[in-house]
Amino acid sequence: MGLEETYLKQYEHYKRIYSIKEIESLDGSKSFEDMNIDDKEIIELETDNMQNFTVESQKGFVEQRIWAIEGLRKIVEKTFNEFVEKNASCAEFGSGAFGTLYNFLLPKQFKKNWKQFDINPEFVEHNKKFTNRYNKKAKIKEGDMYNMPLGDSSVDVICGLSSWDSIWGYQKTINEVKRCLVPGGIFIHLQDLLPAEAPLLLTEAKKRQDRGISPDFLCGFHKEKRNYFPGFYGTEDWLITMASIEKQDKLLRLGKYLTNHLEDIFKQNEFRILRSSEETYNTVIKRKTHMKELRNLGFCYDGPENVFLRAYGHNDCWNSNDLDKKSIRLISSMDVLVAQKQNN
Ligand SMILES: C[S@@+](CC[C@H](N)C(=O)[O-])C[C@H]1O[C@@H](n2cnc3c(N)ncnc32)[C@H](O)[C@@H]1O
């Protein structure tokens, strides 16, 4: 059984129809009881709110990735080596409070000509302090992916790590990607977190509304049990799959839904799709090598486990007797989309 099938089997516990009335915007300030999905209004709400998230809200992302980070790094390395020239100029959007792509995952040779942008001023300030402890030359600025602070045809690569999952105005950002990339330039979307729900739910609801059918559709959830304190349990629902009208109502894993959707819009905008896949890295490394570089950044893990899984936004670790004590098995995965702007 493949990694994705195993993941879906493990996490998808129940299915139900998700009604548009239940959908809320990213911060819950707008619900869609009036059934009206107004692109402009939602983009405005979204960009206002994106500027107000706290640095605290991003700490979990770093912790989640540490488990099998060497695997994520290999996937990024493979993607960049394949599609990006060594001295290419790169603009990263949605770099977050920790510059995770730049600091933890990107091979050195691509860092020389790299600019990070984020819409949230607090994230930018925090990222500057965090990154500059290790690399004083890093360029980090405020920048909105709906209105990129870049000239026409000015960069070779535009990319984001779990950044295009936080927006709703896909077409508006793709207009900007197209404007700012040089002819033949490359767009790279990497998704390793479980994507934010609201933009994808709205996307599917809107597609159905535009075709004159009910904007309610089937979704798959994982019910997580939470132990608040002894004897008191609660549950939290995690959206794991969504029916896609483009795929005859097949339930798609959220990261895959996002990659498929972005792929479709890039094609409509005359980009050539060079890669659209779930990349997996599965390897055995020496325990003392695990997180070697991350220790310099203050992270460490001293548990007894020897198998680490980081797939589609979820972590797991366990012990396997098949491995000697000095070795660790890492299994990591990411959704990857690479699209190229045409030359003319
Ligand atoms: C899910 S977080 C990912 C952060 C980081 N790349 C990571 O993987 O840890 C999404 C990031 O996109 C940023 N973002 C959201 N909307 C944006 C916009 N319109 N322009 C630029 N950045 C945006 C958010 O502030 C946030 O830092």
Side-chain angles (χ1 to χ4, degrees):
M1 201 187 279
L3 188 60
E4 183 173 356
E5 285 163 77
T6 315
Y7 160 84
L8 289 178
K9 206 160 174 252
Q10 188 180 352
Y11 287 107
E12 197 181 330
H13 286 181
Y14 73 101
K15 299 182 179 77
R16 69 176 177 88
I17 298 287
Y18 209 105
S19 141
I20 186 170
K21 290 186 191 151
E22 296 173 74
I23 303 176
E24 289 182 340
S25 59
L26 275 179
D27 72 335
S29 65
K30 174 165 173 67
S31 60
F32 294 86
E33 282 174 30
D34 60 359
M35 313 272 256
N36 180 31
I37 304 175
D38 177 334
D39 294 22
K40 205 165 158 258
E41 182 200 10
I42 300 168
I43 292 175
E44 273 167 24
L45 267 174
E46 178 199 294
T47 37
D48 280 355
N49 285 309
M50 280 296 170
Q51 294 168 49
N52 296 322
F53 280 100
T54 60
V55 168
E56 202 60 33
S57 69
Q58 297 238 313
K59 283 196 174 147
F61 301 160
V62 180
E63 281 154 22
Q64 272 185 44
R65 283 163 170 146
I66 285 166
W67 293 61
I69 198 149
E70 290 88 348
L72 298 179
R73 197 180 282 157
K74 287 282 180 208
I75 296 170
V76 171
E77 186 178 354
K78 182 174 162 236
T79 309
F80 273 75
N81 277 339
E82 210 169 325
F83 298 106
V84 178
E85 301 280 332
K86 278 196 183 114
N87 291 319
S89 54
C90 302
E92 178 198 347
F93 282 85
S95 48
F98 294 88
T100 300
L101 178 56
Y102 180 88
N103 286 315
F104 302 139
L105 305 180
L106 195 71
K108 264 197 198 114
Q109 65 267 31
F110 299 105
K111 291 192 177 182
K112 273 182 254 154
N113 221 344
W114 190 274
K115 283 188 194 125
Q116 298 178 60
F117 296 99
D118 201 283
I119 197 169
N120 183 315
E122 213 186 302
F123 290 1
V124 170
E125 279 319 302
H126 185 273
N127 188 12
K128 274 186 191 164
K129 284 191 205 125
F130 185 77
T131 303
N132 287 345
R133 277 188 289 171
Y134 311 99
N135 185 346
K136 299 223 176 326
K137 287 186 186 152
K139 297 178 197 79
I140 307 165
K141 288 188 173 162
E142 271 178 54
D144 180 357
M145 54 173 104
Y146 290 125
N147 187 9
M148 296 185 174
L150 300 167
D152 295 356
S153 302
S154 63
V155 278
D156 300 314
V157 178
I158 292 178
C159 63
L161 172 68
S162 297
S163 305
W164 260 260
D165 80 341
S166 305
I167 55 147
W168 146 261
Y170 305 98
Q171 180 58 53
K172 205 172 167 197
T173 68
I174 290 169
N175 291 344
E176 281 295 89
V177 171
K178 200 167 182 181
R179 179 184 70 75
C180 301
L181 277 181
V182 297
I186 300 285
F187 170 79
I188 302 179
H189 157 75
L190 304 161
Q191 184 71 36
D192 69 320
L193 299 174
L194 187 65
E197 295 179 6
L200 296 180
L201 289 168
L202 280 169
T203 299
E204 185 62 24
K206 178 99 168 97
K207 279 183 185 170
R208 288 168 191 259
Q209 265 188 351
D210 289 350
R211 290 175 203 195
I213 56 174
S214 161
D216 301 343
F217 49 90
L218 194 63
C219 287
F221 297 86
H222 167 66
K223 229 182 217 322
E224 193 174 86
K225 201 170 174 189
R226 296 245 159 168
N227 184 200
Y228 294 108
F229 47 88
F232 266 85
Y233 289 95
T235 51
E236 202 168 330
D237 293 352
W238 293 94
L239 182 67
I240 302 292
T241 53
M242 274 174 48
S244 165
I245 193 165
E246 313 287 1
K247 307 272 177 207
Q248 293 75 45
D249 273 339
K250 186 172 176 232
L251 283 166
L252 298 184
R253 179 174 56 73
L254 238 47
K256 192 177 221 168
Y257 184 100
L258 174 61
T259 319
N260 282 359
H261 179 61
L262 286 172
E263 182 184 339
D264 288 347
I265 316 189
F266 272 103
K267 276 189 196 147
Q268 285 157 22
N269 285 269
E270 288 161 354
F271 274 71
R272 198 154 72 93
I273 304 301
L274 304 181
R275 168 147 309 150
S276 176
S277 59
E278 305 120 42
E279 296 290 310
T280 304
Y281 195 79
N282 185 339
T283 191
V284 174
I285 64 167
K286 291 283 156 216
R287 188 178 283 273
K288 65 177 182 198
T289 315
H290 183 48
M291 301 208 313
K292 193 173 174 188
E293 291 163 56
L294 288 186
R295 254 175 248 136
N296 299 334
L297 292 171
F299 296 98
C300 66
Y301 181 83
D302 293 326
E305 291 83 359
N306 60 9
V307 182
F308 288 81
L309 169 79
R310 154 114 204 120
Y312 311 119
H314 288 266
N315 302 318
D316 222 337
C317 68
W318 61 91
N319 265 313
S320 158
N321 294 331
D322 299 343
L323 282 171
D324 69 73
K325 286 207 166 64
K326 288 182 179 167
S327 300
I328 281 180
R329 176 170 293 284
L330 303 174
I331 308 161
S332 309
S333 81
M334 260 193 194
D335 292 294
V336 176
L337 178 75
V338 182
Q340 183 173 39
K341 177 175 157 178
Q342 302 289 32
N343 275 323
N344 45 27

